[in-house]
């Protein structure tokens, strides 16, 4: 659980903020879905609101716990799959080629950006990687105080080193979170748009933040089949060179309004 100071600040902000508060937003279950026709990717409408991002009891780069407010956005219900990657790129870079419904992995941040470019040329929609703030807001179900995306029972919601048996698994095979999003904890780490910095949370604004400051490593979130339970926490941040590829690195997308 995130620390009690963070929760106390949330309750205070709900009372004074003109935005929809995180506790109210968390009670909303997104029902609007848009399906990308070329790949079948499902995008879920996430209602905007404010929440407390970060964790004062977590790693140094998870601090300080701070208020973030986001506009409405659409996010992929699942991680991008191998079948969807093949439909756009014509190849399959994954190490674990166990089926088209498995997450694509062994893709760098640069690869993910090229996928976005190609998809935007083929599709009627416009897509991008999520910001860190969008990712964490969606993973927490709008600010719910859970350690993992969907609750406190890691085995119910995530594939990690304690149950994965050394491989990825088909997307959506664990329980979803309150926004009906799957695998935001575990399976594969998910690339975000942001540059990683240890002081990023002290260097961005309150509304729709995106850190693009100094630094070359890119943020990835959510943990993977390879990581221990502490790394699949919703506030946990990790970072890789944008050229790095690994069998535990994948991504999901945002659809622009």
């Amino acid at each position: 659980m995130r620390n009690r100071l963070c929760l106390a600040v949330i309750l205070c902000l709900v009372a004074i903020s003109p935005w929809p508060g995180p506790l109210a937003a968390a009670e909303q279950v997104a029902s609007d879905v848009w399906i990308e026709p070329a790949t079948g990717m499902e995008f879920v409408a996430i209602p905007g609101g404010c929440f407390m991002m970060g964790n004062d009891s977590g790693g140094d780069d998870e601090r300080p716990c701070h208020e973030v407010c986001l506009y409405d956005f659409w996010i992929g219900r699942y991680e991008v799959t191998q079948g969807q990657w093949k439909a756009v790129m014509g190849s399959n870079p994954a190490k674990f080629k166990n089926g088209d419904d498995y997450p694509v992995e062994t893709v760098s941040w640069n690869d993910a950006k090229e996928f976005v470019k190609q998809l935007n040329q083929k599709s009627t929609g416009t897509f991008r990687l999520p910001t860190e703030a969008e990712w964490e807001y969606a993973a927490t179900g709008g600010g719910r105080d859970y350690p993992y995306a969907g609750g406190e029972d890691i085995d119910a919601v995530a594939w990690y080193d304690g149950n994965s048996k050394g491989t990825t698994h088909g997307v959506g095979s664990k329980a979803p979170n309150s926004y009906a999003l799957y695998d935001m904890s575990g399976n594969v780490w998910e690339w975000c748009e942001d540059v990683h910095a240890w002081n990023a949370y002290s260097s961005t604004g309150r509304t729709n933040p995106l850190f693009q400051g100094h630094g070359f490593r890119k943020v990835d979130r959510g943990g993977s089949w390879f990581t221990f339970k502490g790394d699949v926490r919703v506030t946990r941040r990790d970072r890789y060179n944008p050229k790095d590829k690994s069998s535990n690195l994948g991504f999901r997308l945002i659809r622009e309004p």
Side-chain angles (χ1 to χ4, degrees), residues 58-210:
D60 290 345
D61 63 348
E62 297 174 46
R63 307 170 189 163
C65 187
H66 60 295
E67 187 188 37
V68 166
C69 297
L70 299 170
Y71 300 150
D72 296 352
F73 60 96
W74 296 77
I75 193 167
R77 188 187 297 280
Y78 308 104
E79 295 159 336
V80 174
T81 67
Q82 295 175 34
Q84 291 160 351
W85 181 278
K86 289 190 293 185
V88 174
M89 306 296 285
S91 61
N92 185 2
K95 173 182 177 180
F96 300 111
K97 294 180 174 69
N98 295 320
D100 283 351
D101 63 337
Y102 280 64
V104 69
E105 27 80 4
T106 318
V107 291
S108 68
W109 186 87
N110 291 336
D111 292 335
K113 294 285 281 189
E114 181 61 26
F115 178 88
V116 168
K117 178 182 175 182
Q118 296 295 327
L119 180 61
N120 284 341
Q121 292 174 357
K122 299 173 185 288
S123 179
T124 57
T126 303
F127 308 92
R128 59 175 172 82
L129 292 175
T131 67
E132 252 196 296
E134 290 168 335
W135 190 97
E136 189 169 315
Y137 183 79
T140 60
R144 289 177 182 265
D145 190 34
Y146 291 145
Y148 312 112
E152 299 181 18
D153 182 356
I154 186 172
D155 288 296
V157 300
W159 295 110
Y160 68 110
D161 74 341
N163 64 10
S164 70
K165 298 183 179 180
T167 185
T168 58
H169 292 263
V171 300
S173 53
K174 288 290 187 179
N177 74 357
S178 60
Y179 283 151
L181 305 174
Y182 293 83
D183 300 304
M184 296 202 78
S185 286
N187 221 6
V188 291
W189 287 98
E190 300 180 13
W191 288 112
C192 292
E193 186 66 35
D194 304 60
V195 171
H196 180 274
W198 294 96
N199 65 342
Y201 287 1
S202 301
S203 306
T204 53
R206 174 174 177 260
T207 303
N208 297 320
L210 169 64

Side-chain angles (χ1 to χ4, degrees), residues 9-24 50 67:
V9 175
I10 289 175
L11 295 175
C12 178
L13 288 167
V14 168
I16 63 175
S17 176
W19 284 68
L23 299 184
C50 298
E67 187 188 37

